[in-house]
Amino acid sequence: MDSRGAGELFQAQSHLYKLIFSFISTMSLKTAINLGIPDIIHSHGQPITLPKLVLALQIDPAKSGFLYRLMRFLVHSGLFLKTKVDKGGKEEEEEAYDLSPCSRLLVNGNAPNLTCFAQSVFHPALSDPWKLLGDWFYREEQNPFHCTYGIGFWEYGSQDPEYGKLYNEAMVSDSGMMNLVIRDCRSVFEGMQSMVDVGGGKGAVARIISEEFPNMKCTVLDLPHVIEDLQDTENLKFVAGDMFHHIPPADSILLKLVLHAYSDEDCVRILEKSREAISGKGKEGKVMIIDIVINEKEDKPELTDPKLYFDLLMMVAVTGREREEREWKKLFLEAGFSGYKITPIFGLRSLLEVYP
Ligand code: SAH
C-alpha cells in the first residue's frame, strides 16, 4: 500500500473510532448534569478552579486527576470553557472552568433550561427502545418503542406517570426558548382573534402568546392526562380532546413539534381537521407549524446533525419523521391547502405558515 493509501486508511480509522465512541460524549454530558456541575459553576459566581470544583462536589481529592480528565473532554466538546483566574499575590494565574452558552442552558433556575429535556432523552423509557432498532426491521410493530413496551409512546406517558411528567416538563423546557422569539415574530400572530395550540402540552407556548396578545383567545388542546390540573386564565383555556376527531374552531391553529411525531397519513388527517377548524375565517385563517425542515444542502453540518438525530428519534419512539420542504409541501397540498411560507427562525426549527 502506498503512503497516500495508508493515510486514507488511518483517516477512516479515526472517523470510525469517533463514531464508535460517540456515546462517550453523551455519557460525559449525562455525568456532568447528574453531578450538577453547571449549577456549581453558576452558583460559584465566577470560573471555578479544579480544587474548588473537587471541594464543591465533595469528592476525594485523590480523584482530582480523574475529574480533570472529564472536564478536559467536556471543554473540548464545548460544554464548558477554560479560562484563567488570578491566584492572588504574586503567584501565576490558575486555570478555571466557566459555563459556555451551551451549559448555561443546563443551569437550574435559569430560563430557558433544557435539563429536563436531556433527562427525558437519557431516561431508560426512551433509551431502551434503541436496543431493538435492528430487530424491529424484521418485526411487525409500528416502531421499536412498541417492540419494547407493547404500547405507543403517548399511551405509555399516561401509564407511567413519572415518565409522562418528565416528558411533558421536557417539552415545556424546550418551549421556554420560544419566549425569546415571540416578540420578534409579532406580525405572525397579529390580527388573529383566536388560536388553538393543538397538542400544546402544558401550554407553555400558548401561555407566552396569550400574555403577549391579551386580546387573543388561546386554547390548548391535548390529551386528558396531560392537561389535568391546569388552570384556565382570562384568555387561555385548556381543552381535553383528540386532535384526530375534533379541533375547536379558531382563526389560527398552532402545531408545534406535533406533526414530526406522525406518519404522512396521520399528518394529512390532522391538517384536514385544522383546515376545518379555521374555515370560519375564510382565506384569512392560517395554520402555523413549528417543526424541523431538513435542508442538507444549505444547512451547516452542525445543524443537520441534530435534525437527523431528531429524525431517528421520531422513527424509534413514535411513527413520525423529520421532513424536507418538498415533503411538507406534499402534505399541505394533500390536506387541501393552497400555499405556505417557511421562515427558519428557531435554530433547528422553522416556522411554516400554511394558508387555505
Ligand atoms: N406542542 C408542545 C408539545 C409537543 S409534543 C410543545 O412543543 O412543547 C406532542 C403533544 O401532542 C404532546 O403533548 C401529546 O400529549 C399531544 N398529543 C398526542 N396525541 C394527541 C391527540 N390524539 N390529541 C391531542 N394531543 C395529542
Side-chain angles (χ1 to χ4, degrees):
M1 188 180 288
D2 61 20
S3 64
R4 216 179 94 214
E8 276 171 14
L9 196 63
F10 282 117
Q11 208 178 342
Q13 186 197 37
S14 316
H15 188 63
L16 183 60
Y17 281 2
K18 187 175 160 177
L19 296 178
I20 291 171
F21 289 126
S22 301
F23 75 95
I24 291 177
S25 295
T26 306
M27 296 314 287
S28 306
L29 166 66
K30 190 176 168 200
T31 304
I33 293 176
N34 290 347
L35 291 175
I37 297 178
D39 289 332
I40 291 174
I41 300 180
H42 178 72
S43 46
H44 192 61
Q46 56 171 307
I48 194 165
T49 60
L50 184 68
K52 286 191 177 143
L53 185 58
V54 167
L55 206 63
L57 285 167
Q58 301 182 332
I59 56 179
D60 184 344
K63 289 238 159 92
S64 292
F66 302 126
L67 185 64
Y68 166 77
R69 283 152 64 189
L70 175 66
M71 292 304 286
R72 177 173 61 183
F73 177 73
L74 291 171
V75 166
H76 174 75
S77 43
L79 191 68
F80 298 117
L81 300 174
K82 200 165 71 179
T83 164
K84 302 256 185 209
V85 286
D86 235 334
K87 252 183 164 178
K90 280 191 189 140
E91 285 188 72
E92 280 175 29
E93 289 178 317
E94 211 175 355
E95 273 182 0
Y97 304 107
D98 202 356
L99 294 169
S100 72
C102 176
S103 45
R104 271 182 213 291
L105 293 172
L106 297 170
V107 173
N108 278 314
N110 263 14
N113 175 308
L114 294 178
T115 309
C116 261
F117 190 90
Q119 278 161 344
S120 81
V121 174
F122 300 151
H123 195 284
L126 202 50
S127 57
D128 280 353
W130 288 90
K131 297 176 192 156
L132 291 179
L133 176 55
D135 287 0
W136 168 66
F137 281 101
Y138 301 96
R139 290 173 57 161
E140 298 292 315
E141 289 93 336
Q142 290 179 349
N143 50 48
F145 194 91
H146 258 277
C147 296
T148 312
Y149 303 108
I151 50 174
F153 185 77
W154 311 117
E155 201 184 337
Y156 183 91
S158 68
Q159 293 188 9
D160 177 350
E162 186 237 338
Y163 186 70
K165 189 164 175 277
L166 179 63
Y167 173 77
N168 290 321
E169 288 302 323
M171 297 313 292
V172 171
S173 71
D174 181 86
S175 294
M177 305 281 291
M178 292 285 297
N179 235 338
L180 311 171
V181 287
I182 290 291
R183 273 176 209 95
D184 294 343
C185 44
R186 282 190 72 89
S187 62
V188 172
F189 301 99
E190 249 145 29
M192 299 285 166
Q193 271 142 32
S194 55
M195 180 198 80
V196 180
D197 187 356
V198 175
K202 297 270 176 203
V205 172
R207 200 175 297 279
I208 296 167
I209 296 171
S210 69
E211 284 165 6
E212 201 58 29
F213 299 90
N215 296 326
M216 194 194 293
K217 277 208 250 154
C218 298
T219 304
V220 171
L221 174 76
D222 210 295
L223 300 173
H225 71 273
V226 177
I227 60 155
E228 64 187 5
D229 307 335
L230 292 173
Q231 295 297 318
D232 293 355
T233 68
E234 188 66 27
N235 63 331
L236 173 63
K237 198 164 79 173
F238 291 90
V239 174
D242 180 353
M243 62 191 166
F244 289 100
H245 289 123
H246 178 68
I247 296 177
D251 290 356
S252 58
I253 298 293
L254 177 66
L255 287 157
K256 175 175 170 279
L257 301 185
V258 171
L259 297 180
H260 78 155
Y262 290 94
S263 66
D264 287 357
E265 298 72 39
D266 284 344
C267 284
V268 170
R269 284 168 64 204
I270 298 166
L271 285 166
E272 280 170 349
K273 288 281 171 215
S274 302
R275 195 164 54 83
E276 268 168 49
I278 56 167
S279 58
K281 187 82 177 167
K283 283 277 167 203
E284 305 280 290
K286 72 174 161 186
V287 175
M288 297 170 289
I289 297 166
I290 296 173
D291 238 319
I292 283 175
V293 179
I294 293 183
N295 189 349
E296 281 188 86
K297 264 202 196 125
E298 281 174 32
D299 285 345
K300 292 198 173 118
E302 299 88 83
L303 203 56
T304 299
D305 285 353
K307 286 184 177 185
L308 296 181
Y309 293 150
F310 267 106
D311 179 54
L312 292 185
L313 179 62
M314 292 305 118
M315 183 167 91
V316 168
V318 283
T319 50
R321 58 187 305 135
E322 303 302 346
R323 297 175 168 90
E324 294 175 19
E325 179 174 348
R326 61 180 173 85
E327 294 168 313
W328 281 111
K329 183 177 173 182
K330 190 164 166 280
L331 296 184
F332 300 152
L333 296 180
E334 263 180 55
F337 288 91
S338 64
Y340 68 93
K341 184 175 141 194
I342 299 184
T343 322
I345 41 176
F346 306 108
L348 284 187
R349 283 69 174 262
S350 295
L351 169 71
L352 299 99
E353 295 169 84
V354 193
Y355 311 105

